[in-house]
C-alpha cells in the first residue's frame, strides 16, 4: 500500500515490465486514466498555443498512452479493467481510440461497458462528466452503480467549514489548522468519518489565496447568476467579450462547476457562495469528495492541481462496489459491441437505405450534393431525386445541369438548398477529386458545413486518406 513508481509508460520495455509484474502477482483490477489533456477542449487549446510558440511538438505523445494501457491489460489479464477519461476522448478521430479499446478488450475475452457518467448522480457535488470504461474477464456482465436520489449541493458539501478571509494562514504553516465545529449533513459526516480523534475539532488545508482590493469590490457585487460582463467597467481587468465568465460565484444550493487543474492558477471560477474569496484547498477537496483526513503534498498550487486532476473518490468507490458485486455474483453479459456492430452492419448491407441512399455513393461530390439538398427530405422526394443526383458525379456535372437542380429545389420547396448546391459546385469546380484538403479548404471558406465535408470524406475514401475507418454518423441527441 502506498507504493508508487516513476516509470515512463511511453517506453515499451516499461510497459512489458509492468504487465509482467501484475501478471506474476495476479492483480485483480487494473485501473487508469491515460492523460486527458490531449483530448479535453481546454487541454487542446493550451497544446495548440505551445505548438505555435515552438515549445511543444505538434504530436502529443501523451495521446498514445492509451495503447500502453491496453498492452498492460493484454499481458497482465486482470479480472477487471477500469479506465476514466474526459468525454471528448470518445469523439477523438471519429471515435477511433475508444472503438479500438473496446474491440481489443473484447478480443481478449472481456465484456466491455462504456458510459459518460454524470458524477453528481453518484454523490459528487459538482457538474463533472467523465467517460468510464469497465471490462470484465470471461464476458461477465457489469451493472452500473445505483444513482443517488438527490444532488449533493455546494452547501451540503462545505457549509460546515469555518469562515476565513482570503489569504488567511493558520499558525504552524503546513501543519496548522483552523477550529472546526461539527458536521451537519450526511455528506459532511461522511467526509469526517475517519478523521483521527485528536483532530475531531480541527480542519487542515483550509487556506486560500489573498484577494486584491479591486477583486474584493467585484466579489461583493456577484451572485451566482452575475456574469463578468455585468460588472462595472472600473472593476474589470479582462476583456468581457472574451472572458464573459471570468468570475463565477458558486451557487450554494446547486452543484459546483467542474473542479479542474486550472484552479491551481486561477480561482476566479470558484468564488465561495457566501464569502468574498476563492475556494480553500479543503473546500475544493470536499467538492471532489476527498475526505478530511486526506492531506496533499507540496505548496497550495500543487495541492489544487492534485485535486483538479483527480478522479472523485466517491465515484471510484461506487464503481468499486459495483465491480465487487458483479465478480461475487457472476452472470454472462447478454451481448457485446462486436455482435451489435455485426447486426447493424448486416442490416446496413441488406437495406435499401431509402432515407439516405448516398451513404453508398461513388463520389464525394454525390454525397455533398445529396446532403445539401436532401438532408431530412421526405422519403418520396429522396426516392425521386437521388437518381438524378447520382448522375452528377462531379461539380462540373452539376454545373452543366444547374437549371435542373434549381428547378428541383423549387418543386420540393428547397430553393435555398438548391442554390447552395450550385454555389458549392462553382466553388469546387476543377478541384476533382475532392481530396481531404480540398474539403477542409471548403469548410474554412464556409462553402460547406464541416459535418457534410466529414461525411463525404468518410464514405468515399481516396487513396490512403481515410485510413480504412468506417463512417460514424452521430449528433448531439445520439450522444445523450
Amino acid at each position: 500500500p502506498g507504493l508508487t513508481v516513476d516509470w515512463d509508460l511511453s517506453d515499451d520495455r516499461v510497459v512489458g515490465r509492468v504487465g509482467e509484474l501484475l501478471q506474476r502477482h495476479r492483480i485483480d483490477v487494473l485501473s487508469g486514466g491515460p492523460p486527458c489533456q490531449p483530448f479535453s477542449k481546454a487541454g487542446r487549446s493550451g497544446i495548440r498555443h505551445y505548438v505555435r510558440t515552438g515549445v511543444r511538438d505538434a504530436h502529443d505523445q501523451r495521446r498514445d498512452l492509451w495503447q500502453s494501457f491496453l498492452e498492460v491489460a493484454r499481458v497482465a489479464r486482470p479480472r477487471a479493467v477500469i479506465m476514466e477519461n474526459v468525454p471528448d476522448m470518445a469523439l477523438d478521430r471519429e471515435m477511433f481510440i475508444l472503438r479500438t479499446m473496446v474491440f481489443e478488450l473484447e478480443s481478449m475475452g472481456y465484456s466491455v461497458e462504456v458510459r459518460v457518467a454524470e458524477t453528481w448522480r453518484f454523490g459528487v457535488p459538482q457538474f463533472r462528466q467523465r467517460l468510464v470504461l469497465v471490462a470484465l474477464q470471461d464476458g461477465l456482465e457489469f451493472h452500473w452503480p445505483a444513482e443517488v436520489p438527490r444532488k449533493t449541493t455546494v452547501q451540503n458539501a462545505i457549509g460546515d467549514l469555518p469562515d476565513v478571509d482570503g489569504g488567511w494562514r493558520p499558525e504552524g504553516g503546513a501543519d496548522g489548522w483552523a477550529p472546526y465545529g461539527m458536521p451537519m449533513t450526511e455528506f459532511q459526516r461522511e467526509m469526517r468519518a475517519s478523521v483521527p480523534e485528536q483532530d475531531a475539532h480541527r480542519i487542515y488545508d483550509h487556506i486560500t489565496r489573498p484577494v486584491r482590493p479591486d477583486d474584493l469590490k467585484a466579489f461583493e457585487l456577484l451572485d451566482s447568476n452575475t456574469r463578468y460582463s455585468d460588472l462595472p467597467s472600473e472593476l474589470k481587468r479582462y476583456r468581457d467579450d472574451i472572458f464573459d465568465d471570468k468570475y463565477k460565484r458558486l451557487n450554494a444550493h446547486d452543484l459546483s462547476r467542474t473542479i479542474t487543474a486550472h484552479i491551481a492558477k486561477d480561482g476566479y471560477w470558484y468564488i465561495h457562495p457566501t464569502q468574498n474569496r476563492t475556494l480553500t484547498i479543503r473546500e475544493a477537496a470536499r467538492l471532489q469528495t476527498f475526505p478530511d483526513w486526506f492531506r496533499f503534498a507540496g505548496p497550495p498550487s500543487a495541492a489544487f492541481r492534485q485535486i483538479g486532476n483527480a478522479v472523485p473518490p466517491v465515484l471510484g468507490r461506487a464503481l468499486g462496489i459495483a465491480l465487487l458485486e458483479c465478480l461475487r455474483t457472476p452472470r454472462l453479459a447478454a451481448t457485446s459491441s462486436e455482435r451489435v456492430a455485426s447486426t447493424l452492419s448486416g442490416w446496413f448491407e441488406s437495406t435499401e437505405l431509402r432515407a439516405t441512399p448516398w451513404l453508398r455513393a461513388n463520389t464525394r461530390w454525390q454525397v455533398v450534393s445529396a446532403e445539401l439538398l436532401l438532408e431530412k427530405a421526405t422519403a418520396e422526394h429522396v426516392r425521386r431525386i437521388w437518381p438524378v443526383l447520382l448522375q452528377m458525379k462531379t461539380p462540373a456535372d452539376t454545373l452543366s445541369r444547374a437549371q435542373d437542380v434549381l428547378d428541383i429545389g423549387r418543386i420540393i420547396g428547397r430553393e435555398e438548398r438548391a442554390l447552395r448546391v450550385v454555389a458549392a459546385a462553382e466553388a469546387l469546380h476543377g478541384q476533382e477529386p475532392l481530396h481531404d484538403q480540398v474539403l477542409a479548404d471548403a469548410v474554412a471558406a464556409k462553402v460547406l458545413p464541416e459535418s457534410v465535408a466529414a461525411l463525404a470524406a468518410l464514405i468515399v475514401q481516396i487513396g490512403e486518406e481515410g485510413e480504412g475507418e468506417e463512417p460514424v454518423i452521430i449528433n448531439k441527441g445520439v450522444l445523450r
Side-chain angles (χ1 to χ4, degrees), residues 63 66 91-97 99 467 469:
R63 175 179 290 266
W66 61 272
L91 303 182
D92 184 73
R93 292 176 58 200
E94 290 75 49
M95 298 177 71
F96 172 77
I97 290 176
R99 290 189 295 143
E467 298 182 2
E469 294 182 21

Side-chain angles (χ1 to χ4, degrees), residues 36-219:
C36 63
Q37 288 86 352
F39 304 112
S40 71
K41 292 184 178 72
R44 289 200 298 266
S45 175
I47 290 166
R48 284 195 296 270
H49 168 72
Y50 289 129
V51 170
R52 284 196 301 269
T53 55
V55 176
R56 177 175 290 169
D57 292 335
H59 177 72
D60 191 334
Q61 291 184 338
R62 295 176 302 173
R63 175 179 290 266
D64 301 326
L65 288 177
W66 61 272
Q67 295 172 306
S68 300
F69 184 71
L70 268 184
E71 180 63 13
V72 171
R74 187 191 68 78
V75 175
R77 296 300 172 102
R79 295 176 69 189
V81 175
I82 303 178
M83 186 204 72
E84 181 265 4
N85 214 299
V86 292
D88 280 8
M89 184 185 188
L91 303 182
D92 184 73
R93 292 176 58 200
E94 290 75 49
M95 298 177 71
F96 172 77
I97 290 176
L98 181 62
R99 290 189 295 143
T100 300
M101 293 191 76
V102 172
F103 175 79
E104 291 292 339
L105 287 165
E106 287 186 343
S107 299
M108 298 176 204
Y110 290 92
S111 62
V112 184
E113 286 281 341
V114 183
R115 177 179 293 188
V116 174
E118 300 272 10
T119 61
W120 69 263
R121 297 182 183 277
F122 304 104
V124 180
Q126 61 175 296
F127 178 79
R128 188 183 191 90
Q129 291 184 321
R130 281 299 180 269
L131 178 73
V132 179
L133 176 151
V134 181
L136 295 183
Q137 202 176 55
D138 301 325
L140 298 184
E141 186 175 34
F142 177 73
H143 297 286
W144 293 93
E147 297 180 0
V148 297
R150 62 185 65 85
K151 294 179 181 178
T152 302
T153 66
V154 173
Q155 181 68 19
N156 292 152
I158 66 173
D160 60 324
L161 298 177
D163 291 2
V164 294
D165 294 327
W168 178 82
R169 293 290 188 276
E171 294 182 10
D175 295 324
W177 47 271
Y180 176 78
M182 59 182 296
M184 306 297 292
T185 68
E186 181 180 349
F187 179 89
Q188 294 163 11
R189 285 189 285 273
E190 184 180 329
M191 293 296 100
R192 299 294 297 176
S194 297
V195 171
E197 185 176 349
Q198 67 268 22
D199 294 333
H201 295 288
R202 299 176 179 180
I203 193 79
Y204 290 89
D205 296 320
H206 194 44
I207 59 174
T208 188
R209 298 176 178 84
V211 180
R212 291 169 42 132
D214 53 343
D215 284 340
L216 182 60
K217 292 179 182 178
F219 292 176

Side-chain angles (χ1 to χ4, degrees), residues 133-308:
L133 176 151
V134 181
L136 295 183
Q137 202 176 55
D138 301 325
L140 298 184
E141 186 175 34
F142 177 73
H143 297 286
W144 293 93
E147 297 180 0
V148 297
R150 62 185 65 85
K151 294 179 181 178
T152 302
T153 66
V154 173
Q155 181 68 19
N156 292 152
I158 66 173
D160 60 324
L161 298 177
D163 291 2
V164 294
D165 294 327
W168 178 82
R169 293 290 188 276
E171 294 182 10
D175 295 324
W177 47 271
Y180 176 78
M182 59 182 296
M184 306 297 292
T185 68
E186 181 180 349
F187 179 89
Q188 294 163 11
R189 285 189 285 273
E190 184 180 329
M191 293 296 100
R192 299 294 297 176
S194 297
V195 171
E197 185 176 349
Q198 67 268 22
D199 294 333
H201 295 288
R202 299 176 179 180
I203 193 79
Y204 290 89
D205 296 320
H206 194 44
I207 59 174
T208 188
R209 298 176 178 84
V211 180
R212 291 169 42 132
D214 53 343
D215 284 340
L216 182 60
K217 292 179 182 178
F219 292 176
E220 289 171 347
L221 298 176
L222 295 176
D223 62 27
S224 59
N225 295 316
T226 307
R227 302 187 73 85
Y228 183 71
S229 54
D230 297 332
L231 292 173
S233 56
E234 65 270 16
L235 295 179
K236 296 176 185 174
R237 292 190 283 124
Y238 309 91
R239 289 175 54 180
D240 60 10
D241 57 334
I242 298 176
F243 302 102
D244 192 38
D245 63 346
K246 180 63 178 176
Y247 292 174
K248 173 65 177 176
R249 187 184 288 279
L250 301 179
N251 187 340
H253 306 295
D254 204 347
L255 299 171
S256 166
R257 72 188 309 166
T258 306
I259 304 294
T260 69
H262 184 70
I263 194 174
K265 298 179 180 179
D266 181 357
Y268 292 137
W269 275 5
Y270 311 97
I271 299 170
H272 192 279
T274 59
Q275 300 169 46
N276 294 319
R277 57 170 176 78
T278 56
L279 292 180
T280 67
I281 292 171
R282 182 53 56 191
E283 287 164 344
R286 282 276 192 96
L287 295 175
Q288 274 283 59
T289 70
F290 280 99
D292 286 358
W293 57 262
F294 194 95
R295 303 297 305 279
F296 303 92
S301 59
F304 278 124
R305 194 175 302 111
Q306 292 165 49
I307 293 166

Side-chain angles (χ1 to χ4, degrees), residues 365 368 395 423-432 434 438-439 442 447-448:
W365 175 249
V368 167
E426 291 173 345
L428 296 171
H429 179 53
Q431 301 188 64
E432 303 90 344
L434 303 181
V438 173
L439 293 175
V447 172
L448 297 179

